[in-house]
Amino acid sequence: MGRNKKWAAGVIFIFSVVLFSISLYFLMGMFAEQKQEADLYDELKAIYQEDGDAENDDDAATESDADAERMVVSAGLLALHETNPDCIGWISIEGTVIDYPVMYHPEEENYYLHRDFYGAYASAGSLFVSELCDPEESDNLIIYGHHMKNGSMFAALTDYKDEDFYEEHAEIVFDTLHGTEYYQIFAVFRTPVYTANDFAYYSFTEAEDEEDFNAFLSEVAERSLYDTGVDVTYGNKLLTLSTCEYSQKNGRMVVMAKQISEN
């Protein structure tokens, strides 16, 4: 009987060691992948900022009008677009980690969901514009991004549940191939998807008319976590940021903003 107990204890010990080794292997792999992804975005940001700073130095000597400056396309963004034409913008929210290139590949649904800037597999994927949108024409530009556990990509969107956080981070800057666009956040809400009666915020890209636009805004206001006091009217260009939200099954965290004329 004693021998059987020792044998069982030995088997359990060996099994535990094997299980620990496997867990450690996958954990180290996850950390290595996260570092690789972080290094990639540091590399892309260096290209974007270095060329952008050089451009801004030149502009300072020739541009004085704010409207004209907004029409100037970032040299850094152009460099990234030349490397991969799917890169159509760079989005940032000051005071958060959201500071990434934005991809657009309308030929395939969710193409960049698990692909990095160069198209290689990446669990974090890339920020990307919905294939339903036309960046040139859409009334509402929808950008998706993962809610990563390490806080990267669009994880910071969940911080907008706190109204104080919103008040300190109410502006979004979106560099595009046509110049810099500024957006003011006007609504934050949570909603489930893949239900029988979704609020299909993800399919609203162009309003049929003013009535359709206002009906959509009414649905947004009904779900908003708090009143921002920001007025939105027919004709305003909208920007929608969407990520996963884990307080409910198939939840989504959605932050909506309207384009404003200046910073």
Side-chain angles (χ1 to χ4, degrees), residues 134-172:
D134 180 343
E136 307 291 332
E137 302 292 338
S138 291
D139 297 327
N140 181 30
L141 198 63
I142 304 168
I143 301 178
Y144 293 111
H146 281 298
H147 178 176
M148 301 302 293
K149 291 181 179 179
N150 65 357
S152 64
M153 308 311 288
F154 266 176
L157 293 186
T158 59
D159 292 333
Y160 282 98
K161 295 176 184 178
D162 182 351
E163 189 172 357
D164 289 337
F165 182 87
Y166 153 74
E167 291 176 352
E168 295 176 2
H169 307 85
E171 185 180 281
I172 301 169

Side-chain angles (χ1 to χ4, degrees), residues 86-129:
D86 284 352
C87 179
I88 64 164
W90 189 285
I91 192 170
S92 60
I93 301 178
E94 188 175 357
T96 78
V97 300
I98 297 175
D99 192 14
Y100 296 107
V102 176
M103 315 302 286
Y104 179 59
H105 190 87
E107 296 83 6
E108 185 175 333
E109 183 178 7
N110 296 332
Y111 182 80
Y112 281 99
L113 186 66
H114 290 297
R115 285 183 170 92
D116 67 15
F117 179 88
Y118 295 105
Y121 174 81
S123 59
S126 303
L127 302 188
F128 64 95
V129 174

Side-chain angles (χ1 to χ4, degrees), residues 8-18:
V11 170
I12 292 173
F13 175 74
I14 294 173
F15 178 77
S16 299
V17 170
V18 171

